Amino acid sequence: MANLFRWLANVPFKLHWFFVLFLAFVLPWATRKTPNPGEWFPFSNFPMYSNFAETAYYVFISDLDDNPLPMAGLFAVPSGVKKAYDQKLKERVEELKDEAKSRGERYRKRIVQMDGEECRPAGDATLQQLLDSRRDKGPLAGYAGFRLYQVDITLDDEGQIVKRTKLVGEVRQ
Protein backbone atom coordinates (compact mmCIF):
# COMPACT_ATOMS: atom_id res chain seq x y z
CA MET A 1 0.00 0.00 0.00
CA ALA A 2 2.85 2.39 0.77
CA ASN A 3 4.30 1.63 -2.68
CA LEU A 4 0.94 2.56 -4.27
CA PHE A 5 0.88 5.94 -2.47
CA ARG A 6 4.51 6.57 -3.39
CA TRP A 7 3.75 5.73 -7.02
CA LEU A 8 0.67 8.02 -7.01
CA ALA A 9 2.74 10.84 -5.54
CA ASN A 10 5.12 10.59 -8.52
CA VAL A 11 2.42 10.46 -11.25
CA PRO A 12 2.38 13.72 -13.22
CA PHE A 13 -0.91 15.43 -14.16
CA LYS A 14 -2.96 13.76 -11.44
CA LEU A 15 -6.11 15.76 -12.16
CA HIS A 16 -5.85 14.89 -15.84
CA TRP A 17 -5.61 11.18 -15.11
CA PHE A 18 -8.49 11.44 -12.65
CA PHE A 19 -10.72 12.77 -15.44
CA VAL A 20 -9.45 10.16 -17.90
CA LEU A 21 -10.39 7.37 -15.53
CA PHE A 22 -13.64 9.07 -14.58
CA LEU A 23 -14.72 9.47 -18.22
CA ALA A 24 -13.54 5.99 -19.22
CA PHE A 25 -15.00 3.96 -16.37
CA VAL A 26 -17.12 5.81 -13.81
CA LEU A 27 -19.27 7.90 -16.17
CA PRO A 28 -20.28 5.02 -18.49
CA TRP A 29 -21.15 2.89 -15.48
CA ALA A 30 -23.15 5.68 -13.79
CA THR A 31 -25.12 6.46 -16.97
CA ARG A 32 -25.57 2.89 -18.22
CA LYS A 33 -29.38 3.01 -17.86
CA THR A 34 -29.87 6.34 -19.67
CA PRO A 35 -30.79 6.70 -23.35
CA ASN A 36 -27.23 7.84 -24.18
CA PRO A 37 -24.78 6.03 -21.89
CA GLY A 38 -21.59 7.98 -21.34
CA GLU A 39 -23.17 11.28 -22.41
CA TRP A 40 -23.13 13.78 -19.61
CA PHE A 41 -22.68 17.44 -20.48
CA PRO A 42 -20.06 18.92 -20.31
CA PHE A 43 -18.16 15.63 -20.33
CA SER A 44 -19.72 14.21 -23.47
CA ASN A 45 -17.72 14.15 -26.66
CA PHE A 46 -19.72 16.49 -28.90
CA PRO A 47 -22.87 17.59 -27.10
CA MET A 48 -23.86 20.44 -29.41
CA TYR A 49 -22.46 19.25 -32.73
CA SER A 50 -24.03 15.84 -32.97
CA ASN A 51 -26.68 16.95 -35.48
CA PHE A 52 -26.39 19.54 -38.21
CA ALA A 53 -29.32 21.51 -39.54
CA GLU A 54 -30.45 20.75 -43.07
CA THR A 55 -30.50 24.45 -43.90
CA ALA A 56 -28.42 27.48 -43.02
CA TYR A 57 -27.92 31.01 -44.21
CA TYR A 58 -25.49 33.87 -44.05
CA VAL A 59 -25.81 37.57 -44.80
CA PHE A 60 -23.65 40.13 -46.52
CA ILE A 61 -23.87 43.83 -47.26
CA SER A 62 -23.34 45.48 -50.65
CA ASP A 63 -23.53 48.96 -52.06
CA LEU A 64 -26.39 49.94 -54.39
CA ASP A 65 -24.39 48.57 -57.36
CA ASP A 66 -24.39 45.13 -55.65
CA ASN A 67 -20.65 45.15 -54.92
CA PRO A 68 -20.05 43.28 -51.63
CA LEU A 69 -18.54 45.51 -48.94
CA PRO A 70 -16.09 44.73 -46.13
CA MET A 71 -18.23 44.91 -43.01
CA ALA A 72 -15.27 45.27 -40.65
CA GLY A 73 -14.12 48.51 -42.20
CA LEU A 74 -17.52 50.14 -42.52
CA PHE A 75 -19.66 49.09 -39.60
CA ALA A 76 -19.05 49.20 -35.87
CA VAL A 77 -20.00 45.58 -35.14
CA PRO A 78 -19.36 43.40 -38.21
CA SER A 79 -19.77 40.11 -36.37
CA GLY A 80 -23.10 41.25 -34.97
CA VAL A 81 -24.80 41.79 -38.33
CA LYS A 82 -26.21 38.28 -38.57
CA LYS A 83 -27.17 38.28 -34.89
CA ALA A 84 -29.01 41.57 -35.24
CA TYR A 85 -30.70 40.35 -38.41
CA ASP A 86 -31.64 37.04 -36.74
CA GLN A 87 -33.28 38.87 -33.85
CA LYS A 88 -35.26 41.16 -36.14
CA LEU A 89 -36.17 38.27 -38.43
CA LYS A 90 -37.54 36.25 -35.51
CA GLU A 91 -39.65 39.26 -34.53
CA ARG A 92 -40.86 39.45 -38.14
CA VAL A 93 -41.79 35.76 -38.13
CA GLU A 94 -43.86 36.34 -34.99
CA GLU A 95 -45.64 39.24 -36.74
CA LEU A 96 -46.38 37.02 -39.74
CA LYS A 97 -47.69 34.29 -37.44
CA ASP A 98 -49.97 36.79 -35.69
CA GLU A 99 -51.25 38.10 -39.04
CA ALA A 100 -51.97 34.56 -40.23
CA LYS A 101 -53.67 33.71 -36.93
CA SER A 102 -55.95 36.74 -37.26
CA ARG A 103 -57.03 35.38 -40.66
CA GLY A 104 -57.64 31.93 -39.17
CA GLU A 105 -54.55 30.42 -40.81
CA ARG A 106 -51.15 29.16 -39.70
CA TYR A 107 -47.83 30.56 -40.87
CA ARG A 108 -45.54 27.57 -41.42
CA LYS A 109 -42.61 28.82 -43.48
CA ARG A 110 -39.08 28.35 -42.23
CA ILE A 111 -36.64 31.22 -42.56
CA VAL A 112 -34.97 29.82 -45.68
CA GLN A 113 -38.40 29.41 -47.30
CA MET A 114 -39.38 33.05 -46.81
CA ASP A 115 -39.12 35.31 -49.83
CA GLY A 116 -37.23 38.59 -49.82
CA GLU A 117 -40.33 40.74 -49.33
CA GLU A 118 -41.33 38.84 -46.19
CA CYS A 119 -37.83 39.41 -44.78
CA ARG A 120 -37.65 43.03 -45.95
CA PRO A 121 -38.75 44.79 -42.73
CA ALA A 122 -36.13 42.87 -40.73
CA GLY A 123 -33.40 43.59 -43.27
CA ASP A 124 -34.24 47.29 -43.52
CA ALA A 125 -34.29 47.63 -39.73
CA THR A 126 -30.94 45.83 -39.42
CA LEU A 127 -29.27 48.11 -41.94
CA GLN A 128 -30.73 51.19 -40.26
CA GLN A 129 -29.48 49.97 -36.88
CA LEU A 130 -25.99 49.47 -38.33
CA LEU A 131 -25.96 52.96 -39.80
CA ASP A 132 -27.25 54.52 -36.59
CA SER A 133 -24.71 52.69 -34.42
CA ARG A 134 -21.74 54.03 -36.41
CA ARG A 135 -20.36 57.10 -34.60
CA ASP A 136 -17.91 58.11 -37.31
CA LYS A 137 -19.97 58.36 -40.48
CA GLY A 138 -16.88 59.27 -42.56
CA PRO A 139 -16.27 55.82 -44.12
CA LEU A 140 -19.97 55.59 -45.08
CA ALA A 141 -20.04 58.96 -46.86
CA GLY A 142 -18.89 57.55 -50.20
CA TYR A 143 -21.95 55.33 -50.55
CA ALA A 144 -25.45 56.32 -51.66
CA GLY A 145 -26.92 53.40 -49.74
CA PHE A 146 -26.56 49.79 -48.74
CA ARG A 147 -28.26 46.48 -49.42
CA LEU A 148 -28.48 43.44 -47.18
CA TYR A 149 -28.56 40.04 -48.84
CA GLN A 150 -29.40 36.67 -47.32
CA VAL A 151 -27.86 33.57 -48.88
CA ASP A 152 -29.83 30.41 -48.09
CA ILE A 153 -27.87 27.17 -48.16
CA THR A 154 -29.71 23.86 -48.49
CA LEU A 155 -29.09 20.31 -49.66
CA ASP A 156 -31.13 19.06 -52.59
CA ASP A 157 -32.35 15.48 -52.99
CA GLU A 158 -29.10 14.46 -54.69
CA GLY A 159 -26.94 15.78 -51.85
CA GLN A 160 -25.77 18.86 -53.76
CA ILE A 161 -25.39 22.17 -51.96
CA VAL A 162 -27.81 24.78 -53.31
CA LYS A 163 -27.33 28.50 -52.62
CA ARG A 164 -30.11 31.00 -53.13
CA THR A 165 -29.42 34.71 -52.73
CA LYS A 166 -32.23 37.13 -51.94
CA LEU A 167 -32.35 40.84 -51.28
CA VAL A 168 -33.77 41.39 -47.81
CA GLY A 169 -33.00 45.03 -47.07
CA GLU A 170 -32.06 48.35 -48.59
CA VAL A 171 -31.33 51.72 -47.04
CA ARG A 172 -30.48 54.88 -48.97
CA GLN A 173 -28.56 57.72 -47.39
Side-chain angles (χ1 to χ4, degrees):
M1 193 62 137
N3 288 339
L4 177 64
F5 287 124
R6 194 174 313 122
W7 179 78
L8 283 174
N10 292 326
V11 172
F13 307 110
K14 290 174 191 60
L15 186 61
H16 167 79
W17 288 110
F18 166 77
F19 278 108
V20 167
L21 294 173
F22 177 79
L23 293 172
F25 298 108
V26 177
L27 183 63
W29 180 82
T31 60
R32 67 188 179 281
K33 294 181 182 178
T34 63
N36 296 319
E39 292 289 322
W40 183 41
F41 181 81
F43 300 110
S44 55
N45 293 332
F46 302 102
M48 60 186 110
Y49 300 113
S50 60
N51 295 323
F52 293 101
E54 294 177 8
T55 61
Y57 70 93
Y58 64 90
V59 297
F60 69 92
I61 296 177
S62 74
D63 59 12
L64 294 180
D65 294 327
D66 293 331
N67 299 315
L69 298 174
M71 287 193 255
L74 293 174
F75 300 103
V77 210
S79 63
V81 174
K82 186 170 186 293
K83 290 178 186 176
Y85 177 67
D86 281 340
Q87 179 184 5
K88 294 188 184 322
L89 193 57
K90 287 176 185 174
E91 292 169 4
R92 177 67 180 146
V93 168
E94 289 303 315
E95 290 173 10
L96 291 170
K97 285 181 179 180
D98 291 342
E99 289 173 11
K101 189 176 182 180
S102 69
R103 294 188 309 265
E105 302 170 358
R106 277 187 78 186
Y107 187 80
R108 298 178 186 210
K109 287 185 181 178
R110 296 188 338 228
I111 288 174
V112 295
Q113 295 171 327
M114 296 170 67
D115 62 28
E117 286 306 309
E118 289 176 308
C119 301
R120 189 66 182 251
D124 291 345
T126 302
L127 282 173
Q128 193 59 53
Q129 178 183 346
L130 286 171
L131 293 174
D132 293 343
S133 67
R134 177 77 189 203
R135 288 190 185 113
D136 177 21
K137 306 272 189 222
L140 305 177
Y143 299 97
F146 301 95
R147 290 183 177 152
L148 181 67
Y149 285 92
Q150 175 181 328
V151 180
D152 299 322
I153 303 169
T154 57
L155 285 176
D156 66 8
D157 296 336
E158 298 166 3
Q160 299 295 316
I161 295 174
V162 178
K163 293 164 112 182
R164 182 178 67 128
T165 304
K166 58 188 172 189
L167 175 64
V168 295
E170 183 174 312
V171 171
R172 295 182 183 268
Q173 299 195 93

